[in-house]
Amino acid sequence: MSRTKEAPRPDAGRRLPSRRTVVAASAWSVPAIVAATASPAYAASAEGPVTIPPTLTGVTGGGWSIATNFGANGLPTGYPTASRSTATAIPITVSPARATTVTLTVSGAGFSLFTVATNVAFLPTQTVTVTTSEAGVAEVYVAIPPYSKGDAVATITATGNGGSAVSTLTAHTAHVYAVGGHTPEGQTGNGSSLIGVAWPTPMAIDERLSSVHASISSYLFITESGTLRSGGYNPFAEVGTGGTETAVLNPIEPLKKDGTAFTDAVRAVVDTCGSEQGLFVVEDSAGDWWATGEQVSNYLAIPGDTTGTRALTRWEKVGGNLPAKPATLSPNRFGDTLVWSLVDGTVWFTGSSVSFRNYSNGLPSTAVRGAMEQLMMPDGTPVTGVKRVHQSEDHSVMMLTDDGRLMYSSTQPAAITPADYTVRGDVQEIAGPPGDIVEIWAKHPYDTDGGAYYAKTSDNSLWAMGSNGAARGYLGIGTTTATRTWAKVLVDDVKEMACGAHNLIVLDNSGDVWFAGLYEEGNPGLGTGIPATFPTPVKITTLPPNARTIASTWWDVPYIAY
């Protein structure tokens, strides 16, 4: 792969040049979410001198995708650009049809008007005047503030052609939001290509999602009907466009290698805590596994694949060389090894065998591409009974067994390994946190040799162990130091978690989302002028309530689905 482990981190707010290409959205495509909520169709025979729809609906946060702050009156300040694709269109008709001026005003804290002509550079205003065409029609957009930053209902008044009309606009929650983080390659999914989104922004997705997933800086969503939506950063082909574009600004529906649509996705098998890995893997209703993205040393175990390193630009079947069906897969961060647990409870490594010993002493050290090796206990017997495997930072692997035990193997520095892990590089059982363990996650941090793990117990407590991000505090345990014993994440009643290189987000069972770690490019979604680090999680109050599921890219963009 093109990435190197020792690359120095740029200054805060900046990215490596290969990841900072900004592609301008020269042509805006209006997605179905806009068409469904505010169709620009005009009445054939309007009643009255000027007409606008009497009722409109829009999306909370729609149109303020890259606003950086909000004043006391609820209007945005900062970067003067709006995202038209999630704003709400207001169609205007005058009768009799003719070119004439119409003035629109909107009342409601945080609501603002703009036209297409002012879409690139506008000043937020609650009054705008437009000229209808000779056919007597025009269109204006209204932007809606984020949750808790303004009103949820606004009144729009149109005056012109000797009359007036009134509309009521009501905001509703979007299907999914992007929350800050690194976004210039289309990670917001709304046509924007700007960095540092400091507020939650609705994505242009018109269907309810069953799950959300993220990789290095791209997103993958599975809809409730089993179709896929993806977008964002795509040099490693994980978006599935058929190519390797730097930026995919609006969501697409990727295709399989044979050109057919993916319509029966059941679940995605990717590291929901982010990885610097351009790869997505999905299971279909028949139990087959498919992937797009990086294929290095045939670590995807594709029968007959001898090409070494390549990009899977469309969804292809994977895992056929494995001795049993895959159950879970943990991507690597930098390297050329994937870690699989199979339905028979065994654990396997695929890829370049020279890297296998990063995880365990008992694996071969000879350089063989496309190798496949089973993880063994120190006595040479296979590791069995595993239902979940995760690896962190290419040097450690943690396993959750069917009976709730934890096993661990690592060549990480002793300072961040479990306190009761005694033999470097050997598989052994380790102590878990208090209670019965029901799930584990791994973190792929920016820091070299900075692996970390999380475990959830049956009482919905979340526990963390390992690196804490060089004083970034992303474990969410109230300190900025590493820990070799399980420490409780300071969020109650946890449903699930996800994290990027520098942040942790936690979803609780009430539907609230919490943030911990390093503020970078707006990733807490709480605007600007806030602390640099959050070792104790804070609730993201600008998100609507009742979230259902979450994910985060490695470049710190959380995704929140409703």
Side-chain angles (χ1 to χ4, degrees):
M1 288 185 287
S2 61
R3 301 184 295 278
T4 60
K5 182 175 294 188
E6 303 302 327
R9 175 161 179 78
D11 293 338
R14 299 184 181 179
R15 295 295 183 195
L16 300 177
S18 64
R19 296 195 186 116
R20 197 162 184 261
T21 305
V22 177
V23 178
S26 57
W28 292 84
S29 62
V30 181
I33 192 171
V34 175
T37 58
S39 172
Y42 306 107
S45 57
E47 296 180 2
V50 60
T51 303
I52 58 176
T55 60
L56 289 168
T57 60
V59 178
T60 299
W64 292 138
S65 300
I66 49 74
T68 56
N69 211 342
F70 287 81
N73 63 351
L75 292 176
T77 61
Y79 209 107
T81 305
S83 173
R84 172 183 164 194
S85 61
T86 51
T88 299
I90 310 170
I92 305 164
T93 306
V94 297
S95 180
R98 66 187 183 96
T100 187
T101 59
V102 176
T103 298
L104 268 70
T105 61
V106 58
S107 63
F111 289 81
S112 187
L113 301 167
F114 61 94
T115 66
V116 173
T118 59
N119 188 49
V120 175
F122 77 102
L123 294 176
T125 177
Q126 291 188 301
T127 301
V128 66
T129 298
V130 295
T131 301
T132 60
S133 68
E134 294 292 339
V137 298
E139 192 170 66
V140 170
Y141 287 87
V142 57
I144 302 170
Y147 178 78
S148 81
K149 286 295 174 182
D151 294 334
V153 179
T155 299
I156 301 167
T157 302
T159 304
N161 207 33
S164 64
V166 177
S167 176
T168 299
L169 171 59
T170 303
H172 64 88
T173 301
H175 290 293
V176 61
Y177 287 81
V179 186
H182 188 65
T183 60
E185 294 92 17
Q187 292 87 343
T188 55
N190 59 13
S192 296
S193 58
L194 294 172
I195 199 167
V197 178
W199 301 92
T201 176
M203 301 183 70
I205 301 291
D206 62 350
E207 185 178 351
R208 186 175 163 96
L209 305 174
S210 63
S211 61
V212 296
H213 309 275
S215 66
I216 173 176
S217 208
S218 309
Y219 58 85
L220 173 71
F221 303 150
I222 301 180
T223 72
E224 290 190 335
S225 65
T227 61
L228 304 179
R229 303 292 180 87
S230 56
Y233 185 64
N234 190 48
F236 305 107
E238 64 266 42
V239 176
T241 65
T244 55
E245 306 90 333
T246 299
V248 180
L249 300 182
N250 285 301
I252 67 160
E253 295 187 32
L255 303 176
K256 295 179 179 179
K257 186 178 180 180
D258 63 4
T260 60
F262 209 128
T263 60
D264 63 341
V266 174
R267 64 182 182 118
V269 187
V270 288
D271 194 332
T272 55
C273 292
S275 173
E276 193 175 11
Q277 175 73 10
L279 179 67
F280 285 122
V281 181
V282 163
E283 182 180 8
D284 66 16
S285 58
D288 292 323
W289 284 40
W290 302 73
T292 57
E294 291 184 279
Q295 156 75 328
V296 181
S297 298
N298 196 23
Y299 61 19
L300 287 169
I302 301 175
D305 193 326
T306 59
T307 57
T309 298
R310 67 185 179 97
L312 278 59
T313 62
R314 295 290 193 196
W315 289 95
E316 296 185 28
K317 283 189 179 181
V318 302
N321 279 346
L322 291 164
K325 280 283 187 181
T328 62
L329 165 66
S330 182
N332 57 276
R333 176 190 165 192
F334 286 117
D336 45 21
T337 297
L338 298 183
V339 186
W340 310 71
S341 66
L342 306 186
V343 293
D344 63 5
T346 60
V347 176
W348 292 78
F349 294 84
T350 56
S352 178
S353 61
V354 73
S355 298
F356 291 174
R357 283 203 175 184
N358 289 343
Y359 302 89
S360 179
N361 285 330
L363 297 172
S365 59
T366 55
V368 177
R369 286 183 173 271
M372 185 171 62
E373 292 289 341
Q374 186 173 5
L375 183 62
M376 313 294 282
M377 298 295 292
D379 64 2
T381 60
V383 172
T384 59
V386 173
K387 71 173 183 179
R388 172 76 67 183
V389 61
H390 277 296
Q391 63 88 22
S392 178
E393 217 275 314
D394 301 353
H395 284 85
S396 64
V397 59
M398 186 173 289
M399 295 154 280
L400 176 62
T401 66
D402 291 324
D403 57 2
R405 295 175 295 112
L406 292 178
M407 290 192 292
Y408 183 83
S409 183
S410 172
T411 60
Q412 294 270 27
I416 58 171
T417 59
D420 61 339
Y421 182 68
T422 57
V423 182
R424 180 180 170 92
D426 276 353
V427 179
Q428 67 181 84
E429 187 173 340
I430 62 168
D436 298 324
I437 304 169
V438 295
E439 185 58 279
I440 60 172
W441 293 270
K443 184 176 182 65
H444 291 277
Y446 185 86
D447 318 274
T448 299
D449 293 325
Y453 290 91
Y454 299 84
K456 178 182 171 181
T457 50
S458 58
D459 64 350
N460 294 329
S461 295
L462 184 64
W463 301 80
M465 180 169 58
S467 169
N468 209 357
R472 295 187 177 102
Y474 54 47
L475 290 182
I477 59 176
T479 72
T480 58
T481 57
T483 175
R484 298 186 65 193
T485 58
W486 292 102
K488 191 175 186 299
V489 176
L490 300 178
V491 178
D492 294 327
D493 196 23
V494 171
K495 180 179 181 182
E496 60 183 273
M497 58 148 287
C499 49
H502 311 95
N503 69 328
L504 165 71
I505 56 170
V506 179
L507 173 64
D508 65 27
N509 280 303
S510 69
D512 291 331
V513 181
W514 301 75
F515 174 90
L518 179 68
Y519 176 101
E520 185 158 53
E521 300 178 30
N523 56 358
L526 293 169
T528 57
I530 58 179
T533 58
F534 293 86
T536 299
V538 294
K539 187 166 72 172
I540 305 178
T541 56
T542 51
L543 278 169
N546 304 317
R548 291 189 303 116
T549 187
I550 58 177
S552 179
T553 68
W554 193 76
W555 280 135
D556 303 325
V557 182
Y559 294 100
I560 315 298
Y562 289 83

